[in-house]
Amino acid sequence: MINVATVSHDQSGLDEDDKTQIDSNCSPFPPQGSHRDETYLANLQPRGGRLWPLRTLAEVQTSLQLEDAYIVRVPIKAANALLKAIGQALPENALAHLQHVRRFAKAEYLSCDVLERLQIAKVEQREDIHRSDASVPLIKNSPDSKEPSTAVSQPSSSSTTIFLLAAPTSAIRSTSLKDLLAAFLDQPPHQIHLNTLPIPSSPPSDSAAAKELSGKYWPVAYKSYNPHGPQPVELRRSEAEIGPRAGKWIALARHLGREAKKDGVGESVGVVMIDPKADEGCGAVVAGAGDGRWVSRCRPSGKGEGNFAVLSAAERQASPSGNPLAHAVMRAIGMVGQQRVALDSNRSRNMQTEVVDEDAKNQELDSEAGEEKETRKAPADIPPVEPSATVTASTPQIPPLNYPLLDSPLVPTESILASSSPLQAGGYLCVGLDIYLSHEPCVMCSMAIVHSRFSRVVFAGRARTAGVGGLWAEGFDAGVGCEEGGEGAGKKAKEYGYGLFWRPELNWRMLAWEWVDDHVGTGGNGSEEDGDDFGDRICA
């Protein structure tokens, strides 16, 4: 594992209280790059775990949307004729949204929950659907049929019957349906019993969701297409691409967070931004940042404007949220922006230098030819560039510390990553980049990720309290993060999360996963070894 002491600021001999008081003299941070350990990436041990794809908000909402439907037990011999007759009696497109729902189901293929609901309905009629000698309604032909009668006049076992999902209750009146059934069953309408069961009104997003819905409600089929989120083939392709190295980037993000916390500049939250196409497709770090919420300007008693300080314990208690613009996500996005500005500026200067050199060459040729031409000059607002001062577009410049954005390195590892960025000039925002986070980002940071147009996002710990994280779309239990005396105490359960990574009303969508360590289940929030115990204050 990483030896944090080799890459952190020298505060040896200070206890935690002393470290938070280093702003008393308002001394600036040590020079960037002090105590560097250039070999830390080679020694970085990837975290073992797996990628858990996030469900979109639409997937969560539709998986919970149900509608009532009529279920009736009919003889198998009459099933197809009944299905056709019911289809003709229903309004047009009444079943168009239920293509995923199976119309027939034998008792042995229904879950215990479904059978229990059907059994309760039968008990009300003093019938037991599990009784093998139960009497089955006699079958007769439709009144309009000219074929000989095929009525069954003897009792039949359950193997000769099947459950039919006739229609949604909103599509046909029960009296009309009973009249239709009576035309096929040797029973008067008032003796025909219709079971009413809830069924999923939207198709499942994957095979696992189909299995879950079939067990709880009524058999449904997954048709290998997800109308409410990314397609499974797209997820599988991306997981195959990023899976082998995701543990490494998560470990680096956690290291940045621990470094920020040890130096006292922020909480133990880190972010790494990756260009997956760099390094021959192996991926390379574009920027990395730890949390910087506890960094502030010097107080008037400080040593001068431009210096920065770390909030003391008392100041943190008075301002528990710190500087939200210095969250790890906001800082890292700012670092990429600074790189973009520097690279594009350098490219522009190089192009201008080429124009000046070309003009000089043309003037020399004109002079030799004896032609008198007006000397072409470079624009007045462009300073002359010496050939020795030409900057290549492959050398990103690290800007000075900038408050409150803090979009330049605060700790040594950030400096190392910024100095070796593979980012090229001419790009747009964070298009084509992936982002890895030690924790689920807050709503503000999640929207910043969306607006920056990342391709994929992976975080290693779900926020434990409703309304804190911005990517998780599934609901929150009242007890999650709301332990007695905890910061989430008293908060109500939330039916849905925000799921901002895939919202139809936003102009950008991303693929998103939670990284689940081998020893931690989904919905965790870091691990004990990382000391990530600051609950619903967590935010990347």
Side-chain angles (χ1 to χ4, degrees):
M1 296 297 289
I2 302 170
N3 183 1
V4 180
T6 62
V7 291
S8 33
H9 297 175
D10 187 7
Q11 296 179 3
S12 57
L14 297 179
D15 57 26
E16 292 298 322
D17 291 335
D18 292 330
K19 291 178 184 178
T20 60
Q21 297 293 337
I22 63 174
D23 66 323
S24 57
N25 297 324
C26 204
S27 57
F29 291 108
Q32 293 177 357
S34 61
H35 302 286
R36 286 187 178 182
D37 181 7
E38 298 286 356
T39 63
Y40 78 97
L41 269 178
N43 298 328
L44 187 66
Q45 297 297 319
R47 299 182 72 93
R50 64 191 185 279
L51 294 168
W52 187 276
L54 267 62
R55 301 173 68 191
T56 67
L57 181 61
E59 288 175 342
V60 176
Q61 290 176 334
T62 55
S63 67
L64 300 177
Q65 290 179 354
L66 306 172
E67 62 178 303
D68 289 337
Y70 295 121
I71 309 293
V72 60
R73 194 180 186 192
V74 301
I76 293 178
K77 292 183 178 181
N80 288 331
L82 281 169
L83 186 65
K84 182 178 179 180
I86 292 173
Q88 294 174 348
L90 295 178
E92 186 177 0
N93 297 324
L95 302 175
H97 67 295
L98 296 177
Q99 299 299 315
H100 59 286
V101 179
R102 298 191 184 279
R103 298 296 299 278
F104 295 108
K106 289 188 175 182
E108 55 264 34
Y109 296 112
L110 296 176
S111 68
C112 294
D113 290 341
V114 175
L115 286 174
E116 184 178 358
R117 293 190 185 99
L118 292 172
Q119 187 176 19
I120 292 174
K122 292 293 185 181
V123 166
E124 293 176 356
Q125 285 193 30
R126 299 185 179 183
E127 296 182 16
D128 185 356
I129 67 171
H130 295 292
R131 236 173 40 186
S132 60
D133 59 346
S135 297
V136 180
L138 300 180
I139 308 172
K140 67 178 183 179
N141 291 2
S142 171
D144 299 332
S145 175
K146 298 180 180 180
E147 297 181 5
S149 174
T150 57
V152 179
S153 59
Q154 71 278 3
S156 176
S157 68
S158 60
S159 62
T160 63
T161 61
I162 195 168
F163 287 101
L164 166 66
L165 191 156
T169 57
S170 59
I172 188 172
R173 294 178 178 273
S174 61
T175 54
S176 300
L177 182 57
K178 287 182 178 181
D179 290 339
L180 190 152
L181 292 172
F184 289 85
L185 304 178
D186 193 13
Q187 271 185 302
H190 68 274
Q191 291 184 2
I192 297 177
H193 180 76
L194 298 176
N195 298 297
T196 302
L197 292 182
I199 62 171
S201 58
S202 296
S205 58
D206 52 39
S207 56
K211 184 177 180 180
E212 179 182 359
L213 293 174
S214 298
K216 288 184 177 180
Y217 304 106
W218 181 262
V220 295
Y222 171 58
K223 300 184 179 298
S224 300
Y225 174 75
N226 182 9
H228 306 298
Q231 299 308 312
V233 64
E234 185 179 7
L235 285 171
R236 289 194 297 268
R237 187 184 301 116
S238 289
E239 288 171 359
E241 179 182 344
I242 69 176
R245 288 170 291 276
K248 176 181 179 180
W249 305 133
I250 289 294
L252 178 57
R254 286 197 176 278
H255 166 63
L256 286 164
R258 288 193 296 265
E259 191 176 28
K261 187 175 182 67
K262 182 173 183 180
D263 284 6
V265 299
E267 293 289 358
S268 182
V269 181
V271 173
V272 178
M273 297 177 179
I274 304 297
D275 181 355
K277 299 185 182 300
D279 195 13
E280 299 181 350
C282 293
V285 180
V286 172
D291 186 59
R293 69 186 68 189
W294 304 132
V295 176
S296 69
R297 286 189 182 277
C298 275
R299 294 186 293 275
S301 58
K303 287 188 174 182
E305 186 176 357
N307 291 334
F308 298 89
V310 176
L311 293 179
S312 66
E315 290 171 327
R316 295 184 192 186
Q317 188 173 5
S319 179
S321 61
N323 175 15
L325 294 180
H327 286 179
V329 167
M330 307 299 289
R331 294 190 60 232
I333 291 175
M335 291 178 184
V336 174
Q338 291 285 4
Q339 291 185 41
R340 292 284 189 206
V341 171
L343 290 169
D344 291 344
S345 177
N346 292 339
R347 185 177 66 165
S348 177
R349 290 187 179 183
N350 289 337
M351 294 174 62
Q352 293 164 3
T353 301
E354 293 175 1
V355 171
V356 173
D357 291 343
E358 184 67 22
D359 284 349
K361 182 178 180 180
N362 291 337
Q363 291 174 16
E364 182 178 353
L365 293 175
D366 291 345
S367 177
E368 291 177 356
E371 298 179 1
E372 296 182 0
K373 293 183 178 181
E374 183 179 356
T375 305
R376 287 177 288 173
K377 299 180 181 180
D381 58 339
I382 302 177
V385 181
E386 298 295 334
S388 59
T390 301
V391 184
T392 63
S394 61
T395 308
Q397 303 297 305
I398 300 177
L401 203 61
N402 175 29
Y403 186 86
L405 302 179
L406 301 181
D407 50 8
S408 58
L410 286 177
V411 294
T413 302
E414 296 176 2
S415 299
I416 298 172
L417 298 177
S419 64
S420 59
S421 170
L423 199 65
Q424 298 295 318
Y428 178 71
L429 298 179
C430 297
V431 173
L433 302 183
D434 299 337
I435 181 170
Y436 293 80
L437 309 96
S438 63
H439 299 80
E440 181 183 3
C442 67
V443 176
M444 175 190 72
C445 292
S446 296
M447 283 304 301
I449 292 173
V450 172
H451 288 312
S452 298
R453 300 179 180 246
F454 285 90
S455 297
R456 296 173 292 209
V457 54
V458 181
F459 63 86
R462 171 187 173 186
R464 294 182 297 189
T465 303
V468 174
L471 298 181
W472 194 271
E474 299 187 44
F476 294 80
D477 295 331
V480 177
C482 302
E483 296 83 358
E484 184 176 357
E487 295 187 23
K491 293 187 178 180
K492 296 181 179 179
K494 186 176 179 64
E495 186 176 8
Y496 305 122
Y498 292 101
L500 294 175
F501 71 96
W502 195 283
R503 295 284 290 268
E505 62 268 33
L506 299 179
N507 64 353
W508 190 257
R509 301 175 187 178
M510 306 170 292
L511 301 181
W513 294 266
E514 180 186 6
W515 175 263
V516 183
D517 284 340
D518 287 336
H519 61 285
V520 180
T522 57
N525 191 16
S527 59
E528 294 180 359
E529 66 182 69
D530 296 316
D532 300 332
D533 57 354
F534 42 103
D536 64 357
R537 290 190 293 115
I538 191 67
C539 169

